[in-house]
Amino acid sequence: MTETKTFGYVRVSTKEQNADRQTVEMKKLKINERDIFIDKASGKDFDRPQYQALKAQLRKGDLVYISSLDRLGRNSDAIKKEWEEITREIGADMVVLDMPLLDTRKYKDTMGNFVANLVLQVLTFMAQSEREKILARQKEGIAVAKAQGKHLGRPQLNLNTLTKQQRADLEANYTTWKAKEITSVQFMEILGLKKNSFYKIISEYEESK
Protein backbone atom coordinates (compact mmCIF):
# COMPACT_ATOMS: atom_id res chain seq x y z
CA MET A 1 0.00 0.00 0.00
CA THR A 2 1.35 3.44 -0.97
CA GLU A 3 2.01 5.74 1.96
CA THR A 4 -0.05 8.93 1.90
CA LYS A 5 1.66 12.29 2.29
CA THR A 6 0.76 15.71 3.66
CA PHE A 7 1.64 18.87 1.73
CA GLY A 8 1.34 22.60 2.24
CA TYR A 9 0.76 25.17 -0.48
CA VAL A 10 1.77 28.81 0.03
CA ARG A 11 1.29 31.75 -2.35
CA VAL A 12 2.09 35.44 -2.24
CA SER A 13 1.44 37.75 -5.16
CA THR A 14 4.90 39.27 -5.68
CA LYS A 15 8.56 38.50 -5.01
CA GLU A 16 8.63 41.39 -2.54
CA GLN A 17 5.92 39.88 -0.33
CA ASN A 18 6.91 37.64 2.55
CA ALA A 19 5.63 34.05 2.64
CA ASP A 20 6.89 33.40 6.18
CA ARG A 21 3.52 33.69 7.94
CA GLN A 22 1.93 31.02 5.76
CA THR A 23 5.05 28.84 5.93
CA VAL A 24 5.07 28.97 9.73
CA GLU A 25 1.43 27.84 9.71
CA MET A 26 2.41 24.80 7.65
CA LYS A 27 5.36 23.94 9.87
CA LYS A 28 3.09 24.04 12.94
CA LEU A 29 1.14 21.23 11.27
CA LYS A 30 4.36 19.18 11.21
CA ILE A 31 4.60 19.34 7.43
CA ASN A 32 8.11 18.60 6.22
CA GLU A 33 9.75 21.69 4.72
CA ARG A 34 10.44 19.88 1.45
CA ASP A 35 6.69 19.24 1.15
CA ILE A 36 5.76 22.93 1.38
CA PHE A 37 5.40 24.43 -2.09
CA ILE A 38 5.75 28.21 -2.36
CA ASP A 39 4.79 30.38 -5.32
CA LYS A 40 5.43 34.10 -5.63
CA ALA A 41 2.95 34.79 -8.39
CA SER A 42 -0.46 36.25 -9.17
CA GLY A 43 -3.54 34.23 -8.33
CA LYS A 44 -5.24 35.07 -11.63
CA ASP A 45 -4.53 31.57 -13.02
CA PHE A 46 -2.82 28.31 -12.07
CA ASP A 47 0.15 28.55 -14.40
CA ARG A 48 2.53 28.56 -11.40
CA PRO A 49 5.61 26.31 -11.22
CA GLN A 50 5.35 25.23 -7.58
CA TYR A 51 1.60 24.64 -7.73
CA GLN A 52 2.03 22.47 -10.82
CA ALA A 53 4.90 20.59 -9.14
CA LEU A 54 2.70 19.93 -6.11
CA LYS A 55 -0.19 18.76 -8.24
CA ALA A 56 2.06 16.38 -10.17
CA GLN A 57 3.07 14.69 -6.89
CA LEU A 58 -0.41 14.27 -5.48
CA ARG A 59 -1.83 10.76 -5.12
CA LYS A 60 -5.10 9.39 -3.81
CA GLY A 61 -5.34 9.83 -0.04
CA ASP A 62 -2.78 12.64 0.16
CA LEU A 63 -3.65 15.83 2.04
CA VAL A 64 -3.07 19.46 1.03
CA TYR A 65 -3.28 22.42 3.43
CA ILE A 66 -3.69 26.05 2.38
CA SER A 67 -4.06 28.97 4.78
CA SER A 68 -6.99 30.58 2.94
CA LEU A 69 -8.84 30.06 -0.31
CA ASP A 70 -7.47 33.21 -1.95
CA ARG A 71 -3.95 31.75 -1.54
CA LEU A 72 -5.08 28.97 -3.87
CA GLY A 73 -6.28 31.46 -6.48
CA ARG A 74 -8.44 34.44 -7.38
CA ASN A 75 -10.39 33.18 -10.38
CA SER A 76 -13.70 31.63 -9.35
CA ASP A 77 -14.12 29.13 -12.19
CA ALA A 78 -10.44 28.12 -12.12
CA ILE A 79 -10.49 27.53 -8.33
CA LYS A 80 -13.52 25.26 -8.59
CA LYS A 81 -11.96 23.35 -11.49
CA GLU A 82 -8.70 22.77 -9.60
CA TRP A 83 -10.58 21.81 -6.42
CA GLU A 84 -12.58 19.22 -8.37
CA GLU A 85 -9.48 17.79 -10.03
CA ILE A 86 -7.60 17.42 -6.75
CA THR A 87 -10.44 16.09 -4.59
CA ARG A 88 -12.36 13.99 -7.11
CA GLU A 89 -10.11 13.04 -10.01
CA ILE A 90 -6.90 12.62 -8.01
CA GLY A 91 -8.68 11.71 -4.77
CA ALA A 92 -6.59 13.85 -2.43
CA ASP A 93 -8.07 15.84 0.46
CA MET A 94 -7.98 19.63 0.81
CA VAL A 95 -8.08 21.69 4.00
CA VAL A 96 -8.50 25.49 4.10
CA LEU A 97 -7.20 26.52 7.51
CA ASP A 98 -9.27 29.67 7.99
CA MET A 99 -12.51 27.99 6.84
CA PRO A 100 -13.24 24.73 8.75
CA LEU A 101 -16.13 23.84 6.46
CA LEU A 102 -13.63 23.47 3.61
CA ASP A 103 -12.08 20.28 4.95
CA THR A 104 -12.85 17.38 2.63
CA ARG A 105 -11.84 14.83 5.28
CA LYS A 106 -14.88 15.72 7.38
CA TYR A 107 -17.64 15.96 4.83
CA LYS A 108 -18.07 12.76 2.89
CA ASP A 109 -21.88 12.40 3.01
CA THR A 110 -24.32 14.10 0.63
CA MET A 111 -25.37 16.91 2.98
CA GLY A 112 -21.77 17.58 4.01
CA ASN A 113 -20.70 17.78 0.38
CA PHE A 114 -23.58 20.14 -0.39
CA VAL A 115 -22.62 22.52 2.44
CA ALA A 116 -18.91 22.42 1.56
CA ASN A 117 -19.63 23.03 -2.13
CA LEU A 118 -21.92 25.95 -1.26
CA VAL A 119 -19.22 27.53 0.89
CA LEU A 120 -16.67 26.96 -1.88
CA GLN A 121 -18.96 28.69 -4.40
CA VAL A 122 -19.41 31.72 -2.13
CA LEU A 123 -15.73 32.05 -1.23
CA THR A 124 -14.48 31.67 -4.79
CA PHE A 125 -16.94 34.33 -5.88
CA MET A 126 -15.65 36.62 -3.12
CA ALA A 127 -12.02 35.95 -4.08
CA GLN A 128 -12.69 36.85 -7.71
CA SER A 129 -14.74 39.91 -6.74
CA GLU A 130 -11.87 41.18 -4.61
CA ARG A 131 -9.45 40.74 -7.51
CA GLU A 132 -11.79 42.61 -9.83
CA LYS A 133 -12.06 45.47 -7.30
CA ILE A 134 -8.27 45.67 -7.06
CA LEU A 135 -7.92 45.81 -10.85
CA ALA A 136 -10.64 48.46 -11.08
CA ARG A 137 -8.88 50.61 -8.46
CA GLN A 138 -5.61 50.22 -10.34
CA LYS A 139 -7.23 51.35 -13.60
CA GLU A 140 -8.82 54.32 -11.86
CA GLY A 141 -5.45 55.28 -10.36
CA ILE A 142 -3.74 55.04 -13.76
CA ALA A 143 -6.46 57.15 -15.38
CA VAL A 144 -6.13 59.84 -12.69
CA ALA A 145 -2.34 59.82 -12.94
CA LYS A 146 -2.47 60.20 -16.73
CA ALA A 147 -4.93 63.06 -16.42
CA GLN A 148 -2.55 64.79 -14.02
CA GLY A 149 0.39 64.19 -16.34
CA LYS A 150 2.23 61.98 -13.87
CA HIS A 151 4.86 59.45 -14.92
CA LEU A 152 3.61 55.88 -14.91
CA GLY A 153 5.45 52.62 -14.63
CA ARG A 154 7.99 51.17 -12.27
CA PRO A 155 10.34 53.57 -10.50
CA GLN A 156 13.87 53.60 -11.88
CA LEU A 157 15.82 50.84 -10.19
CA ASN A 158 19.08 51.96 -8.63
CA LEU A 159 21.26 51.32 -5.60
CA ASN A 160 19.09 53.50 -3.38
CA THR A 161 15.86 51.70 -4.30
CA LEU A 162 17.11 48.28 -3.21
CA THR A 163 15.33 46.75 -0.23
CA LYS A 164 17.25 46.34 3.02
CA GLN A 165 17.50 42.62 2.32
CA GLN A 166 18.81 43.16 -1.21
CA ARG A 167 21.40 45.66 0.06
CA ALA A 168 22.51 43.21 2.77
CA ASP A 169 22.73 40.37 0.23
CA LEU A 170 24.72 42.61 -2.13
CA GLU A 171 27.26 43.51 0.54
CA ALA A 172 27.47 39.94 1.86
CA ASN A 173 28.07 38.32 -1.54
CA TYR A 174 29.95 40.96 -3.55
CA THR A 175 33.45 39.82 -2.50
CA THR A 176 32.52 36.17 -3.09
CA TRP A 177 31.27 37.04 -6.57
CA LYS A 178 34.40 39.08 -7.40
CA ALA A 179 36.50 36.08 -6.34
CA LYS A 180 34.45 33.99 -8.83
CA GLU A 181 33.24 31.70 -6.05
CA ILE A 182 29.68 32.24 -7.26
CA THR A 183 28.57 33.01 -10.81
CA SER A 184 26.84 36.17 -11.97
CA VAL A 185 23.66 34.17 -12.54
CA GLN A 186 23.75 32.89 -8.95
CA PHE A 187 24.35 36.43 -7.67
CA MET A 188 21.42 37.72 -9.74
CA GLU A 189 19.16 35.05 -8.24
CA ILE A 190 20.27 35.96 -4.71
CA LEU A 191 19.44 39.61 -5.35
CA GLY A 192 16.29 38.90 -7.37
CA LEU A 193 17.53 41.07 -10.24
CA LYS A 194 17.53 40.69 -14.00
CA LYS A 195 20.75 40.96 -15.98
CA ASN A 196 20.56 44.65 -16.98
CA SER A 197 19.50 45.78 -13.50
CA PHE A 198 22.15 43.59 -11.89
CA TYR A 199 25.08 45.12 -13.78
CA LYS A 200 23.69 48.63 -13.30
CA ILE A 201 23.47 48.09 -9.52
CA ILE A 202 26.95 46.54 -9.42
CA SER A 203 28.40 49.52 -11.28
CA GLU A 204 26.75 51.97 -8.86
CA TYR A 205 27.89 49.92 -5.88
CA GLU A 206 31.49 49.84 -7.06
CA GLU A 207 31.45 53.58 -7.66
CA SER A 208 30.15 54.16 -4.13
CA LYS A 209 32.84 52.07 -2.44
Side-chain angles (χ1 to χ4, degrees), residues 72-85:
L72 184 62
R74 290 279 190 182
N75 181 290
S76 177
D77 291 336
I79 291 172
K80 286 181 283 187
K81 178 177 179 292
E82 294 297 319
W83 187 278
E84 290 288 313
E85 287 184 10

Side-chain angles (χ1 to χ4, degrees), residues 22 81 94 119 150 164 172 200 205:
Q22 294 177 64
K81 178 177 179 292
M94 295 277 287
V119 172
K150 292 181 180 178
K164 288 183 179 179
K200 180 177 184 293
Y205 180 68

Side-chain angles (χ1 to χ4, degrees), residues 35-99:
D35 294 325
I36 300 173
F37 292 77
I38 303 172
D39 274 315
K40 294 191 174 185
S42 166
K44 65 180 180 179
D45 57 42
F46 285 83
D47 187 19
R48 308 177 216 135
Q50 289 300 300
Y51 176 79
Q52 294 299 331
L54 165 62
K55 195 173 173 184
Q57 288 194 34
L58 286 177
R59 299 293 182 267
K60 185 175 181 179
D62 287 345
L63 174 62
V64 181
Y65 284 97
I66 55 175
S67 62
S68 60
L69 194 64
D70 63 355
R71 297 305 87 202
L72 184 62
R74 290 279 190 182
N75 181 290
S76 177
D77 291 336
I79 291 172
K80 286 181 283 187
K81 178 177 179 292
E82 294 297 319
W83 187 278
E84 290 288 313
E85 287 184 10
I86 289 174
T87 61
R88 296 193 179 180
E89 295 180 23
I90 296 174
D93 280 307
M94 295 277 287
V95 176
V96 180
L97 293 173
D98 71 347
M99 182 52 61

Side-chain angles (χ1 to χ4, degrees), residues 10 44 60 125 144 159 163 178:
V10 170
K44 65 180 180 179
K60 185 175 181 179
F125 172 77
V144 170
L159 192 60
T163 64
K178 287 296 282 187

Side-chain angles (χ1 to χ4, degrees), residues 91-120:
D93 280 307
M94 295 277 287
V95 176
V96 180
L97 293 173
D98 71 347
M99 182 52 61
L101 282 172
L102 293 180
D103 181 343
T104 60
R105 299 169 302 175
K106 296 180 180 179
Y107 304 105
K108 299 293 185 182
D109 62 0
T110 302
M111 181 56 69
N113 282 329
F114 171 77
V115 172
N117 284 335
L118 182 61
V119 172
L120 179 64

Side-chain angles (χ1 to χ4, degrees), residues 120-132:
L120 179 64
Q121 294 271 1
V122 171
L123 291 179
T124 52
F125 172 77
M126 290 174 63
Q128 180 162 329
S129 295
E130 182 60 25
R131 173 174 168 75
E132 289 171 355

Side-chain angles (χ1 to χ4, degrees), residues 198-208:
F198 171 75
Y199 285 109
K200 180 177 184 293
I201 295 295
I202 289 295
S203 177
E204 291 181 9
Y205 180 68
E206 290 176 338
E207 288 176 6
S208 71

Side-chain angles (χ1 to χ4, degrees), residues 134-184:
I134 291 170
L135 292 175
R137 286 196 294 268
Q138 288 174 343
K139 288 180 180 178
E140 287 172 5
I142 290 170
V144 170
K146 283 183 176 179
Q148 295 175 347
K150 292 181 180 178
H151 174 73
L152 298 174
R154 292 184 178 181
Q156 187 68 29
L157 186 64
N158 57 52
L159 192 60
N160 293 326
T161 62
L162 292 181
T163 64
K164 288 183 179 179
Q165 186 61 57
Q166 284 176 313
R167 185 62 185 244
D169 288 338
L170 173 61
E171 293 173 353
N173 292 278
Y174 176 78
T175 303
T176 305
W177 172 69
K178 287 296 282 187
K180 300 187 185 302
E181 293 175 14
I182 60 171
T183 67
S184 295

